[in-house]
Amino acid sequence: MDIVSKYTFDETVSALDRIIRDRNLIRFAVFDHRMNAENIGLQMNNCIVFVFGNPAIGTIMMQRDPSLGIELPSKILIYELDHKTHVRFRPLSWKFDDTAATEAMNKLNSVVEAIARECAGLE
């Protein structure tokens, strides 16, 4: 899902960082693709990925299907294109035979979407 932020790139990045902290989630990594491109002499628009999560939720799903580890932890991409700041994430659509894992996935999807919308100024 891709949404356009009401804020500038820097404001959106700052909001996402604050929201992750405020929700007591773990920020595992931040990848600044523009900076990495510049480090090798290439140019690109602002583009950054936050990798974050809550192992208490992800572990429930990965106990049922460890291959889900390719999708977890959650990621939100913030990038600039055509003078607009975009916030992008992919909801999980895994099939579980287990109610607890399905509920965990639905909760995770709801939380990630709420975080993306909030950092974009849509909530």
Side-chain angles (χ1 to χ4, degrees), residues 9 13 16 27 29-33 47-52 74-79 88:
F9 178 83
V13 168
L16 178 56
R27 190 177 83 172
V30 176
F31 301 103
D32 186 335
H33 292 302
C47 183
I48 194 165
V49 178
F50 280 74
V51 181
F52 63 95
S74 299
K75 297 161 207 70
I76 291 181
L77 168 70
I78 300 173
Y79 66 99
R88 185 174 186 87

Side-chain angles (χ1 to χ4, degrees), residues 34-48:
R34 183 188 56 82
M35 182 185 70
N36 292 334
E38 287 179 358
N39 286 340
I40 59 164
L42 299 174
Q43 300 294 314
M44 68 178 293
N45 292 341
N46 284 321
C47 183
I48 194 165

Side-chain angles (χ1 to χ4, degrees), residues 5-120:
S5 179
K6 291 182 177 182
Y7 304 128
T8 66
F9 178 83
D10 289 336
E11 291 168 335
T12 305
V13 168
S14 292
L16 178 56
D17 194 35
R18 177 188 46 77
I19 293 162
I20 290 170
R21 278 193 323 270
D22 288 351
R23 289 179 179 246
N24 295 315
L25 299 170
I26 298 170
R27 190 177 83 172
F28 294 105
V30 176
F31 301 103
D32 186 335
H33 292 302
R34 183 188 56 82
M35 182 185 70
N36 292 334
E38 287 179 358
N39 286 340
I40 59 164
L42 299 174
Q43 300 294 314
M44 68 178 293
N45 292 341
N46 284 321
C47 183
I48 194 165
V49 178
F50 280 74
V51 181
F52 63 95
N54 178 345
I57 303 250
T59 301
I60 293 169
M61 294 180 285
M62 290 177 58
Q63 286 172 329
R64 298 339 183 258
D65 187 349
S67 67
L68 186 61
I70 194 71
E71 301 295 332
L72 295 173
S74 299
K75 297 161 207 70
I76 291 181
L77 168 70
I78 300 173
Y79 66 99
E80 284 184 324
L81 183 64
D82 298 327
H83 307 290
K84 294 180 184 169
T85 299
H86 296 257
V87 178
R88 185 174 186 87
F89 65 96
R90 282 192 282 188
L92 295 176
S93 60
W94 224 256
K95 301 292 182 201
F96 295 103
D97 294 332
D98 179 282
T99 302
T102 300
E103 288 174 358
M105 180 184 66
N106 292 338
K107 180 177 181 176
L108 181 133
N109 284 338
S110 293
V111 168
V112 171
E113 182 172 356
I115 290 170
R117 294 181 64 74
E118 185 178 345
C119 79

